[in-house]
Structures are given as structure tokens and as C-alpha cells.
Amino acid sequence: MEGATKGEDSVDQSSQRFAEALVRERVETRLAAAGASEASRGAAIRAMLHASLLGIDSHGVRLTEHYCRMLDGGRLNKNPQLRFEHRGAGSAMVDGDDGLGHYAAYHAVEVGMALAREAGVGAVGIRRSSHLGAAGAYALAGAEEGFVTFATTNTDAMVALHTGAQKFHGTNPLAFAAPVPNARPWLLDMATSSIPLNRVLLHRSLDQELPEGVAATPDGFPTTDPHAADLLLPLGGVDYGYKGAGLAGVATLFSSLLTGTTLDPDFIPMYGGTDISTPRNMGHFVLVIDPDKFAGSAVFGAAITTYLAGLRASTTRPGGKVMAPGDREWATLAERQTNGIPLDPDTVRFLDL
Amino acid sequence: MEGATKGEDSVDQSSQRFAEALVRERVETRLAAAGASEASRGAAIRAMLHASLLGIDSHGVRLTEHYCRMLDGGRLNKNPQLRFEHRGAGSAMVDGDDGLGHYAAYHAVEVGMALAREAGVGAVGIRRSSHLGAAGAYALAGAEEGFVTFATTNTDAMVALHTGAQKFHGTNPLAFAAPVPNARPWLLDMATSSIPLNRVLLHRSLDQELPEGVAATPDGFPTTDPHAADLLLPLGGVDYGYKGAGLAGVATLFSSLLTGTTLDPDFIPMYGGTDISTPRNMGHFVLVIDPDKFAGSAVFGAAITTYLAGLRASTTRPGGKVMAPGDREWATLAERQTNGIPLDPDTVRFLDL
């Protein structure tokens, strides 16, 4: 399977490339100038570089300019004071104090790991947060410390329900990661729509037909015409979109309903609206599991190693290539650490590169 | 969205119908005669009637004959003694003692709820279990008691990886349910393939083309010819099947890797093999969350009510019908409680109806 779930978001491969350290330094400079506290900007930089290095460019450092505008406009609190409320031996709520969402989300993973070390599992809801970038960054943060980790968020409505004709759910990602002994983690970070909105915009600019079953007209009719497309369709397409819509609902259930935060259609728009001063009260959810508290870390490590070896050795159709979730991202990481991060001209300009 | 995720498994609507109470009595008689303990057969009957009443006929009372054969052959322990090992304040392992899987799985939900009441969350792995029927039965059992509940299992390999040419994952269901004040729960019970194997067999017997992107030849080439189809394809089809394959991997991660039980390709076949005496050591996983330990039950109840009202009132394309996950199942339940459960001739014969 193709590991990249957002590789389709990659910037043009002909883009200029820049070394990770330089990009990091310039993003830091910009966010510091916009007034973001050291702790909150550190988290945002970590998450944006995760995305930029793994090939999820839509959630990478190109968002620096957007975040700076929102810090300036007042939507984002420049100096958020995170609060953490212990709700049970395995559960907690984190209040993001309307700061950069990455800060609250990474903190929730830390809280979840502390709970899981004792209780075996840590379930953490996050409220009063904002855009967190790629949800996989947080699943990965747990997996890198040895925990099976799930992270999700709801987002601005742009995906129709199955046979629906209005924007109802966001592209609501589900991200799972698991530690693998002596190897990079297994990492699945997937939108519950088939494609992101950026893909429609790309096809529109290239006047290129869309695949079947990924988008619809404003009246809800599936279309491959990128100029007619207004709604994204849920994963599963024309026939099985009720499954993708249900999964988008899972993201909303955990992120919004359990935390008492904003529903997908009720968000002040991330982009394009006139209000950039009111916080969006976005919710997320993180679940952290300690394998040691189930069959045990040794059993788990051996099992996932066997599972992945079987997966990678399995037969494919001619021309096929079977990959575990994450394999494509780890290849992109290695390539970009060598050759640099490709950036679009607007981002190059904003970061003064 | 269509709530029914396994409605396509329904038996022919021209089938004979029988009252729930009569069906329950005959299944009880058969399982008792096969020697299943009162507790284990009670759980199996509850789960099979869940499926038969909600329209998931492939997992309904038609399986009674299969379970009786397996009790007789020795694969299933007639008198399993469940064991429960507390692993942390929010985590536990249940040992099914090789009995009917429904017994271990319902017990795991009970254990999970007890943990969640204190810890906010209960994560329970299950080992040495067997076929559990419809995973949604266990998600529902938690939701009916006020808990957001997730249940999953891995199953016999019959689904290819994306671009793969061998049976690698099972149809590995993900089931989520959530309580709704003064209404039936929100209930999503979905296979991570687009269709079940039964659907291929049905199209084969009717000599009817399959939808695009749901099945493949033994060489891994997508086909709509039901006679050529040998592999199921993961949800997402030809273009986005890496997402469905990743989700199937999530089921395996939780059910098998965390519990140290059998991997999908390593199961002794549920059907058709010669060995019906060796236990299959199947694993499952249940996660139970107490909304009261996050934003609180009242906030959650109001939020899910608002969410569902918005969903059901949302606009559709002409001829479309938007349903929440579970809506179709609840309609089927009401209809079958009135008109009886439709059963195929083999099941009618076995149950002596």
C-alpha cells in the first residue's frame, strides 16, 4: 500500500529546496517576531517540520505565514498557559488557552504517556485549541516513546455526507502510530475524505480531470470536473462513502463531542473569513496505550516485527509495490534530509530564503 | 449516509420469517444440545440476535450450525472459564479459554466499563478467543450503558493490500458506538474492505457484475467479474485502497499485536479447513470511555444531540437520504421485531423451524 496519505499535497518537485536547519531557523525567526512564546512556537516548529520533512507539505512550514497572521489578528494567544485537568487514572483534559494547537496537542501526548505508564492507557481530550497541523505528528510522538498512539481532530466542514449536498464534516484525520523495535514506527495518518481540498485546487489550476468519486457539485452530484467540484466526498466514494462519512464522525465524536468544543460546520473559517480575532475553540483527542500493560512489550515488539516482515514480503501484482503505513514518509524524510525541503515561492518569500 | 454497513449481507427478502422469541428458543436448544455452557451460549445468542435483528444476517443465527460443529469438533471449549487480569487502572487482559468468542467479548466490555467508571477509560485486550460475530454488538453493549465504545477484531485473511496479490488482512471490522440521550445509540460497524466475501459469492451465483474496485483476481488485478474475483480489495478501491489497508492494519494492531494472538494469515480457516479441533487463539480489543470524565455527560449528551440533528436535517442530492450510522439498523430492528427475522432454508432446517 502507498504509505503516503498526503503525498498528493506535495509541492511541485521543481520547487527550490532548502536545508532543514535553515528552514527551521527562519520559521523560528518569523514566529518569534509574531510574538509566539518560546514554548508554543517550539511545538509549532516541531509539527511543521514533521510535515515538511515527511512530505505532507500542505501542513508544513508554508503555514508559518498563516499562523503569524492569526497571532497578529488575535485569534491565537501569543503566550498560552496550558492547563491540565486530571479526570481519572487514565483520563485528562488539556486546555490550550487558544494558543497554537501544536503546543496543546504535544502536551496532551505527554500527559497521555504519563497516564499510560501507570494506568496502561491515557485518553486525553483537548479544548480551546486551534489548528494542529498533521495529526500524525502526535501519534508519532507517542510511538517514538514506545506507545501505541491515536490522535484525531475535527476540522472546518468541507466534506459531504454520503449522498449529501452540503459541507458537513471536515477532512477529519485519523492518525495511528506504533513503535517497531530497531526501526521507524508504523505510522498511518489519513484524512477520512479520499483527497484534500488542495488536490481539487491543483486539478483546477491544471484543468485536469479528477478521479471518480472524490468530489461533488454543490448539489451533491459526483463529478470529475475540477471546476464544477465544490464538495469533497468521504472515503469509499460513490458506493461506500457511508464508511468514510462514519469515520469522519468518529473524529468529530472524539474531538468535539467528548470535549465540548466546536462542531465542524460551526468553525470560524480557518482561511478566507474576515474574523481573525476570535478563537475557534477547536478540540482534539489523543489516546496513548502502553503495550507493556497488555501482552507485554517483548511480545508486542516481536509480533509487529513479524507482521511487518510478512507485509513487506507479500506478493504484489506486476508493477505493484506494497508498503507499510509510514514507509513512504520515511523514504521522503531520508531524501529531504539529504536534498532539502522543497518550498513554494510564497513561502520562500515569507521566510526570506 | 447509509447506516447499514453489512445490509448487503441480508438474506433474500423473500425468505421465510420467524418471531424473535421462537428463533431465540431454537438457537438456545441447539447450543445447549451441543454442550455450550449456559453463560457462553447466552452471550452467543445475544450477539447473534443483535446481528439477525439489525440486518447483519451473515453474523446472525445462521452461524448456530457452524458453532455447534466447532463445539462438537473441539475447536471451541464447551465450558470456558474466563480469566481477567488487571494490568493497570485502565487496562486489562481477558483470557477467553477458547470458548465462544461472544462470551469473552461481552465480558471484556463489562471489564472495560468497570475500569472506565474509575479511570475514565478502560482498554481491554482479549486472547484465546474465537469468532465473535458482529463487532458492533460489543460497541453497542457499552453505549447502552452510557459509554463511548470501540470494538475490533482481526479475522481470517481474505483482503489484499493496496496493489497486493495475496490475502493478507481479514475484513477486520472497526465498530464504534456512542450513547444518545433519549434515543438509540450512534452505531458504526464497518468492515475495512468495501464488501464482504458473501457479496462476491452472491454475485457469482447470480452471474452479476461486481462494483468497480472491490475485488481482484488471484494476480491482484481489480475485476468486476465475480467468477474471476478471488481477493477482496480494501476500502478506498483502486485509488485509495492504502487507506482501507491501513485501517485493517489498525484492527490487527489492536487485536493481535497488542494481545499476542494469531495474525490474520496464520488463522486455521474458520470454514472449509479439515482441522476443527484446534483452538484458533483469536484476539480482540475493546476500548470504553466514560464521557463524564471528559467534558461531562451533560455536555456530551447535548453535543451529540445537536450533531445528529444537524446531520439528519442536512441537505441531500435529489433522491439522496442522509442517515447517521445506526439509523438503518434501528429501522431494520423495528421492522423485524414486527415482521420476524428472515432466515435461509438451511438455517430453518437446522433450527427445526
Side-chain angles (χ1 to χ4, degrees):
Chain A
M1 76 202 87
E2 293 171 60
T5 55
K6 294 182 181 166
E8 55 213 9
D9 275 345
S10 293
V11 296
D12 187 328
Q13 292 305 307
S14 65
S15 305
Q16 273 190 281
R17 284 170 171 262
F18 301 90
E20 174 187 351
L22 177 63
V23 172
R24 185 185 295 273
E25 177 203 308
R26 295 298 169 86
V27 174
E28 159 72 20
T29 302
R30 275 298 198 177
L31 287 174
S37 68
E38 189 171 349
S40 70
R41 71 179 188 255
I45 292 166
R46 179 181 174 192
M48 284 193 280
L49 277 159
H50 160 88
S52 281
L53 286 166
L54 270 63
I56 314 161
D57 293 306
S58 60
H59 292 57
V61 296
R62 65 174 279 273
L63 289 172
T64 310
E65 183 169 12
H66 169 76
Y67 296 138
C68 287
R69 271 194 75 217
M70 299 304 136
L71 287 158
D72 198 50
R75 171 185 293 178
L76 291 177
N77 181 352
K78 294 175 182 175
N79 189 21
Q81 304 301 309
L82 299 182
R83 280 181 304 138
F84 149 60
E85 193 184 350
H86 204 174
R87 303 283 295 160
S91 53
M93 285 289 297
V94 165
D95 185 316
D97 197 19
D98 299 321
L100 285 155
H102 325 77
Y103 184 37
Y106 274 124
H107 183 65
V109 177
E110 294 290 330
V111 169
M113 292 192 295
L115 294 171
R117 280 189 188 96
E118 299 298 323
V121 59
V124 185
I126 302 147
R127 69 177 160 222
R128 293 180 67 216
S129 184
S130 62
H131 191 250
L132 54 53
Y138 313 99
L140 181 62
E144 286 177 338
E145 299 294 324
F147 298 90
V148 173
T149 308
F150 166 58
T152 187
T153 187
N154 68 325
T155 61
D156 301 40
M158 57 181 74
V159 184
L161 294 164
H162 188 55
T163 78
Q166 73 177 60
K167 296 169 182 174
F168 189 78
H169 285 125
T171 52
N172 293 6
L174 303 176
F176 295 89
V180 182
N182 308 311
R184 298 272 188 191
W186 182 99
L187 172 62
L188 176 71
D189 180 3
M190 55 168 268
T192 49
S193 57
S194 292
I195 61 169
L197 183 64
N198 281 350
R199 182 67 174 273
V200 176
L201 302 179
L202 178 65
H203 280 245
R204 203 177 283 172
S205 73
L206 299 173
D207 199 22
Q208 197 176 60
E209 258 203 322
L210 290 164
E212 301 260 349
V214 304
T217 65
D219 294 336
F221 291 101
T223 182
T224 59
D225 175 357
H227 306 288
D230 180 55
L231 307 166
L232 298 177
L233 290 179
L235 177 66
V238 173
D239 292 325
Y240 305 100
Y242 56 91
K243 298 195 181 193
L247 292 171
V250 169
T252 298
L253 169 65
F254 282 91
S255 305
S256 167
L257 308 183
L258 273 175
T259 63
T261 57
T262 312
L263 288 170
D264 313 30
D266 297 339
F267 281 119
I268 297 166
M270 178 171 174
Y271 297 114
T274 52
D275 180 354
I276 62 168
S277 62
T278 308
R280 301 172 79 215
N281 190 21
M282 183 170 271
H284 325 298
F285 191 86
V286 167
L287 181 81
V288 180
I289 290 174
D290 184 355
D292 214 39
K293 291 288 201 286
F294 294 88
S297 290
V299 168
F300 178 79
I304 197 166
T305 300
T306 300
Y307 168 75
L308 289 173
L311 188 155
R312 295 196 179 103
S314 68
T315 58
T316 70
R317 68 178 188 235
K321 182 167 171 56
V322 165
M323 287 191 277
D327 284 357
R328 173 178 287 205
E329 284 82 354
W330 302 129
T332 301
L333 172 67
E335 191 274 325
R336 291 188 174 188
Q337 283 178 328
T338 301
N339 299 324
I341 296 169
L343 295 176
D344 63 273
D346 285 350
T347 302
V348 170
R349 178 193 49 71
F350 185 74
L351 295 180
D352 201 15
L353 283 162
Chain B
M1 73 202 89
E2 294 171 60
T5 55
K6 293 182 181 165
E8 54 213 8
D9 276 345
S10 294
V11 296
D12 187 328
Q13 291 305 308
S14 66
S15 304
Q16 273 190 280
R17 284 171 172 261
F18 301 90
E20 174 187 352
L22 177 64
V23 172
R24 185 185 297 272
E25 177 203 308
R26 296 298 170 87
V27 174
E28 159 72 20
T29 301
R30 276 297 198 177
L31 287 173
S37 68
E38 190 172 348
S40 70
R41 70 179 188 255
I45 292 166
R46 179 181 175 192
M48 284 193 279
L49 277 159
H50 160 88
S52 282
L53 286 167
L54 271 63
I56 314 160
D57 293 306
S58 60
H59 291 57
V61 296
R62 65 174 280 272
L63 289 173
T64 309
E65 183 169 10
H66 170 76
Y67 296 138
C68 286
R69 270 194 76 218
M70 299 304 136
L71 287 158
D72 198 50
R75 172 186 292 178
L76 290 177
N77 181 353
K78 294 175 183 176
N79 189 21
Q81 303 302 308
L82 300 181
R83 281 180 304 139
F84 149 60
E85 194 184 350
H86 205 174
R87 303 283 294 161
S91 54
M93 285 288 298
V94 165
D95 185 315
D97 197 19
D98 299 321
L100 285 155
H102 325 78
Y103 184 36
Y106 275 123
H107 184 65
V109 176
E110 294 291 329
V111 169
M113 292 192 295
L115 294 171
R117 280 189 188 97
E118 299 298 323
V121 60
V124 185
I126 303 147
R127 69 177 159 222
R128 292 180 66 218
S129 185
S130 62
H131 190 251
L132 53 55
Y138 313 99
L140 181 62
E144 285 177 338
E145 299 294 324
F147 298 90
V148 172
T149 308
F150 165 58
T152 188
T153 186
N154 67 324
T155 61
D156 301 38
M158 57 181 74
V159 184
L161 294 165
H162 189 55
T163 78
Q166 73 178 60
K167 296 170 181 173
F168 189 79
H169 285 124
T171 51
N172 293 5
L174 304 177
F176 295 88
V180 182
N182 307 311
R184 298 271 188 191
W186 183 98
L187 171 63
L188 177 72
D189 180 4
M190 55 168 269
T192 49
S193 57
S194 292
I195 61 169
L197 184 63
N198 281 350
R199 183 64 174 273
V200 175
L201 302 179
L202 177 65
H203 280 245
R204 203 177 281 172
S205 72
L206 298 173
D207 200 21
Q208 196 176 60
E209 259 203 322
L210 290 164
E212 302 259 350
V214 304
T217 65
D219 293 337
F221 291 100
T223 182
T224 59
D225 176 355
H227 306 288
D230 180 54
L231 307 166
L232 298 176
L233 291 179
L235 177 66
V238 173
D239 292 326
Y240 305 100
Y242 56 91
K243 298 195 180 192
L247 291 171
V250 169
T252 298
L253 169 65
F254 282 91
S255 306
S256 167
L257 307 183
L258 273 175
T259 63
T261 57
T262 312
L263 288 170
D264 313 29
D266 297 340
F267 281 119
I268 297 166
M270 177 172 174
Y271 298 114
T274 53
D275 180 354
I276 62 167
S277 62
T278 308
R280 301 171 79 217
N281 190 22
M282 183 171 269
H284 325 298
F285 192 87
V286 168
L287 181 82
V288 180
I289 289 174
D290 185 355
D292 214 39
K293 292 288 201 284
F294 294 88
S297 290
V299 169
F300 178 79
I304 196 166
T305 300
T306 300
Y307 168 75
L308 289 173
L311 188 154
R312 295 197 180 103
S314 68
T315 58
T316 70
R317 67 178 187 235
K321 181 166 170 57
V322 165
M323 286 190 277
D327 285 357
R328 173 178 286 205
E329 284 82 354
W330 302 129
T332 301
L333 172 67
E335 191 274 325
R336 291 188 174 188
Q337 283 178 329
T338 301
N339 300 323
I341 296 169
L343 295 176
D344 63 273
D346 285 350
T347 302
V348 170
R349 178 194 48 73
F350 185 74
L351 296 180
D352 202 14
L353 283 162

